[in-house]
Amino acid sequence: VYVSVSLVGTQTAEEHRQASLFVDVFRRETGGARFWRGTASVPDLYNVLVRFLGVEGAEAAFVEYARARGRRWPDDEIEADAEFVHHVETRLAGAIGAASARIMVASAVKEEALELDEVREILDEASQVVVYSHRLEQKSRELEAATAELRAANERLKELDRLKDDFMSTVTHELRTPLTSIRAFSEILLGNPDVELEQRRKFLSIITKETERLTRLINQVLDLAKIESGRAEWHVTRVDICELVTETLAGMSQLFKEKGITVETRLPARVPPVQADLDRVIQVLLNLLSNAVKFCAPDRGLIEVSVAELPGFVRVDVRDNGPGISAADQRIIFDKFRQAGDTLTEKPSGTGLGLHISRQIVEHFGGRMWVESRLGEGARFSFTLPVEPVRIEARSEARVA
Amino acid sequence: LETAKRKVLIVDDEPNIVTALEFLLERRGYEVRVATNGEEAIALAESFRPDVMLLDVMMPKRSGYEVCQRVREHPEMGHVKVVMLSAKGREAEVSKGLSLGADLYITKPFSTQELVERIDGLLGAAAKPGGA
């Protein structure tokens, strides 16, 4: 809106300029300046008008001139006198500028050569027109760009609004699902005191698990909201990935034992430390490892964890021998609330947010996270984290302990 | 006892919810079958011919809406009562379910007591159970 107002403003200024040129023409006329030498002919002047105003414009100019003098065009004659020449010139000035009109009329009435003043005025006028037209083009380009920007911003806002709506709707759905089980089994246990002990235990354990799922979901939604809004606090320190992997695996050893899962590691003696938030990296590792546990082949589960140094990065791979992930599912598993395929039996334990959050964390530190898999051949999740910027003392006395 | 056991088909992809519904309805004396996705539900409805279907909306392979529509279009399943059970409780979703021919739309979490009573009510209001 602002740009268009200023455009109109510019046009008005131009109109002012044109109007002052008109005044100039009259002043010259009344001051006795003469442009006409008497060799003008009506057909010549008519042709000049037709050329710049079109036949209709020329006719209108003639009709108007005749009417003002109580005559009718084309029935009555019009005399090509000074008054008529002036009328033609004024009309032309409205269309092509006063100076240009003067020279057109001058050439039509075979007037004398132009004076220097007049030539300068013509050049002036022409250059002003060029400047004005450049300015106009510039303004119009600016306006176009501004409009495009506004449109894009509007689209982005709409998209964000839609995403937020979808997110809320999905969160609500995901919260209601575990609540449904919790309520149903609580009511069943309350209303059926005769339920056998074993079944009773089963129902109670479902309630417990669904409560955990609900808690995890709430925590993850809050965590994600914090990360996405940029309000998450990151305590960045030097992190030794090998040490972290070893500790995390040790913490999960009981779980591996219960599930009969073998864990193999390939850790180099030393990798350069990465700059990251220790707890966040543990969160990523736990997520990948618990996914691996979840999808490992039953009874003969195998998880391989390896750490490697790349130029500027440290890479971690977590590989399982589960059912693998189809190419289609590989594209969606990092999305919010998306889980692979028909993972029916495992569904209640997942929130569909773990991988999404993990990837956000890794990317926050300038790393990357991806998956490689083929159906029936397990899956390998990998991530990289950038090595901290090399400092002189960091190189020479790095990690003696 | 076997003469007029009413048949319920539970369709839901949440195993725990299935377990709960199965327990509740079997206790109530219904014959219960379970499908865990939309495609399975359509196939099972054909062979099992339930009196009532409990239909989750968000499921892999065909949504509850689609299943409901298919059942309604089936020439011999016009009498089947359809109860949609969904964690999606917005007006638009409820009216979509009902306009596709669902007899009831119940949002999760639901009261187990109320659910069972409403299912009983639906079948009581029906002319005749499918098997009789």
Side-chain angles (χ1 to χ4, degrees), chain A residues 11 32 34 41 71 91 102 133-134 150-151 171 177-178 199 230 248 262 271 298 304 325-326 348 351 361 366 395:
Chain A
Q11 270 173 340
R34 298 177 66 85
S41 77
R71 276 176 279 173
R91 273 314 187 87
R102 206 173 306 139
S133 122
H134 274 321
L150 271 178
R151 200 174 297 132
V171 169
T177 303
Q199 206 166 25
T248 309
T262 313
V271 288
E304 295 166 63
I325 302 164
S326 72
T351 61
I361 292 171
R395 266 298 169 204

Side-chain angles (χ1 to χ4, degrees), chain B residues 3 5 23 93 103 130 132:
Chain B
T3 45
K5 214 174 183 187
F23 177 89
E93 285 134 2
D103 296 280

